[in-house]
Structure formats: structure tokens, C-alpha cells
Amino acid sequence: MEENKYLWPMLQSLPYFRALLRSVEANFYCEFVLESPLLDLGCGDGQFASVVFEQSVDVGIDPALSSLHEAKKQQAYRLLAQSVGAQMPFSDAYFASAFSNSVLEHIPDLQAVLNETGRVMKAGGLFLFCVPNHRWQGSLSVSNILNRFGLRRLANAYVRIFTRISRHINMLSPEEWSMRLGQAGFSVERYWHYFPPAAVHALEWGHYFGLPSWVARLLTGSWILAPARWNLALTERLLRRLAQNGIDQQGAYSWYVARRK
């Protein structure tokens, strides 16, 4: 199996659980040609685009000004704009393609954002995005353990708390995504699931074991204080097997290839 070339660069700048997920997602972009002008819907701090795309992304939008300041330092975008996804400052059919990497699950007014994305995209344009799916909550390890011991109320409480920590709102099935995208003027060409339960467990426990990275971020602005082999080689070795996982029908995340009608 071909080695995941994105794991190491992701580990150098992200907590290990985020690096694992992002490295798997990054691999999927390799088969697509995204025509310009290209929109990054919810660009955040720009770290993902800086690793995945060799050329600058035309436009990145995000509602958080602090994130845009960080994205500017990455030099991965030609233009950055502070904007909510439901009201973009661009004309109809402006973009030839768009992507949104692990963003749409966090958006309360999801349909409005999809509709607006449809408005600013040209007919025939590709829209790639990935999200946790309807299996995500059922893949959490702690709640599954509690359920085995008959502690269902505690298990349900844990799922609610961890979902809130993860800021997940939209964990939809393919049928629900197809319906919502259709309303916004898109058709789903194909989709696949990825990130099986073992990988979800690594991500879940990373929220706890990754606490030092959170402290480092608060104090210094960087998740990783020493992005060197001597510090990260063991972590990379432990994650390598999980990072090789691609399409998995039991996966708790889904990747969508949609096209503007």
C-alpha cells in the first residue's frame, strides 16, 4: 500500500488526531483537477490548503477574522475574505470549482450555505467536501464501552458532550446530503465513506491526550513546539497504519463529489 505522503507535514503543525484525519482526506484530492477560480469554503487558518495544493487557491472565505490573519501567513491564497457562507460577496456563477474540508458539519444554517454555494458556482463546476456522517456518534469508543456495561444514560450523555466538544451539528446520511444538495442546484456524482471505527477512536482519545498541544497553542500560537523527527517520529510510526486507510464502507466520515447543474 502506498505510503500517505501527507501524514508527516500534517503532524508538524497539528495535534496528532487532527493530522491523522487531515492526511487521509488530503490523499483524496490527488485524483481531482479543480478549475480556477477555486473557492475554499471555510478556509480556517489555511493550514490544510497550504499542504495539499501546490498552487495558490484563488479565494478562501471564513467568518473568523483571527483565522484569516493566520491563513494570510500561510500564503496559500490569492484572496482572503471575511464572510459567512450564506452571504458571499461574489457575483452569480463566479467560481469554476469549490471545496470545503470538514466545515459543513459545524454550520447551523446548512441549507442557506449550500444554496449560496450553488449561486456562486458555474454550471458544471465541481464541489468537493467531506463531513462526519450518520455513523460518527455510534463509532465513539467510550460510549460503546458504557453501553456494554448497560450504562445507557451515561453513554448517551457522553455522546452529547463529545458531539458538543467537536461542534458537530450536521451528521447526515448520503440520502439527506443528496436531497439538500439537490435543493441547492447540485447533483451528487459519487461519494464514499472513510475513517473506520479504529481511526475514530484514535481521533476521540486524541482530544484528551492532545491537551498539551492545546496549552502550547494558547501560550505560543503553535500546536507543535518541536516539529522535528526526534519529537514526532514515534507518533508518525504509531499512526502510519491508520493513515493508510482510504475508502472504507464502515467509515464514520464521507467524501462527496457534487457538480453544479
Side-chain angles (χ1 to χ4, degrees), residues 143 146 151-163:
S143 53
L146 291 171
L151 303 173
R152 294 184 179 179
R153 292 181 65 181
L154 276 178
N156 292 336
Y158 176 83
V159 169
R160 289 194 300 271
I161 292 170
F162 195 79
T163 302

Side-chain angles (χ1 to χ4, degrees), residues 8-15 47 51 222-224 227 232:
W8 175 247
M10 293 294 183
L11 281 173
Q12 288 182 293
S13 55
L14 294 174
Q47 184 275 342
V51 173
S222 299
W223 293 106
I224 308 299
L232 299 172

